[in-house]
Amino acid sequence: DIQMTQSPSSLSASVGDRVTITCRASQSISSYLNWYQQRPGKAPQLLIYAASSLQSGVPSRFSGSGSGTDFTLTISCLQPEDFASYYCQQSDNTPYTFGQGTKLEIK
Amino acid sequence: QITLKESGPMQVKPTQTLTLTCSFSGFSLITSGVGVAWIRQPPGKALEWVALIHSNDDKRYSPSLKSRLSITKDTSKNQVVLTMANMDPADTATYYCAHMYGSGLYGMDVWGQGTTVTVSS
């Protein structure tokens, strides 16, 4: 299995801040990397697919970059609704493993 | 508009078999390149990918669960069924189904609301 390692596991920030979450794959996954947001009690929602493509309807303050083994999710100007958990997932080879998640909290 | 909805028992006993149904609309599992995946999430923990079935009937399973899993599709009913044998309290989780297209490149773009399953005697 491909292991996905996210950091940090938790993050405190303020409205308006710029934050970055990183994800590292245990082997190259090309650009088969997706990012999801999950609010408490809700299903995950796709934010970014193919490492850097913004899913339809997702605000442009979200962006993704990277290829191979190292990836980042950046939120450029935090809004109140962005405080949630974030997961990376590789979809290069099954099992399509997830990272352990990053919980973004209000400072 | 694509929608998915999971259904199944809220509680099962240890050693029993769990059967979950994902009912969907807005797409067909006859269409080439389409898939439906199952993902689960134990309380307070991370997401775990469980299984996937493609429109060509290619089936993939989590290696750690493979011996206990079966995934099937009924294209006439627009349903995907996941069965998990020999349930254990560690399988207590919210189970989601999700739509996929394009062999993973486009991620899991639409998810169901999830169904919570508790394994307890």
Side-chain angles (χ1 to χ4, degrees):
Chain A
D1 299 5
I2 298 173
Q3 307 304 315
M4 305 301 294
T5 304
Q6 267 182 256
S7 62
S9 56
S10 64
L11 177 59
S12 293
S14 301
V15 172
D17 283 355
R18 177 186 179 94
V19 298
T20 298
I21 299 168
T22 65
C23 183
R24 174 165 288 177
S26 60
Q27 65 187 67
S28 177
I29 56 171
S30 184
S31 295
Y32 284 78
L33 191 284
N34 311 301
W35 291 98
Y36 300 88
Q37 177 192 67
Q38 187 179 31
R39 297 190 174 106
K42 299 296 185 182
Q45 291 186 298
L46 179 65
L47 297 175
I48 302 285
Y49 63 91
S52 60
S53 295
L54 193 67
Q55 175 68 1
S56 176
V58 174
S60 58
R61 62 181 180 272
F62 291 92
S63 63
S65 64
S67 66
T69 60
D70 294 312
F71 302 87
T72 60
L73 172 70
T74 299
I75 312 173
S76 61
C77 182
L78 277 172
Q79 298 301 300
E81 60 269 27
D82 299 337
F83 292 93
S85 293
Y86 293 85
Y87 293 90
C88 64
Q89 181 216 17
Q90 65 83 15
S91 51
D92 184 43
N93 281 303
T94 57
Y96 290 158
T97 41
F98 289 89
Q100 78 276 21
T102 296
K103 187 173 184 179
L104 179 54
E105 298 174 310
I106 300 175
K107 186 182 287 184
Chain B
Q1 179 191 7
I2 290 174
T3 64
L4 304 97
K5 187 173 184 179
E6 308 85 352
S7 59
M10 294 177 60
Q11 183 167 329
V12 298
K13 292 179 172 25
T15 75
Q16 287 186 334
T17 294
L18 173 68
T19 299
L20 295 175
T21 300
C22 177
S23 302
F24 57 86
S25 63
F27 69 95
S28 172
L29 261 178
I30 295 174
T31 304
S32 179
V34 173
V36 172
W38 286 93
I39 307 94
R40 70 179 183 178
Q41 185 173 38
K45 295 189 177 181
L47 299 166
E48 179 185 12
W49 185 88
V50 174
L52 168 65
I53 188 165
H54 287 111
S55 54
N56 64 1
D57 212 35
D58 181 29
K59 302 170 185 179
R60 303 296 176 99
Y61 299 103
S62 168
S64 64
L65 300 171
K66 185 175 183 178
S67 64
R68 301 167 50 207
L69 291 176
S70 174
I71 189 169
T72 59
K73 61 182 171 72
D74 186 332
T75 54
S76 65
K77 293 183 179 179
N78 281 349
Q79 290 181 336
V80 169
V81 176
L82 179 76
T83 61
M84 183 178 295
N86 194 22
M87 293 291 284
D88 182 88
D91 297 312
T92 294
T94 297
Y95 287 76
Y96 299 98
C97 61
H99 170 269
M100 295 191 69
Y101 180 77
S103 297
L105 182 62
Y106 303 106
M108 295 183 288
D109 60 342
V110 184
W111 294 57
Q113 64 189 23
T115 187
T116 300
V117 178
T118 300
V119 184
S120 173
S121 54

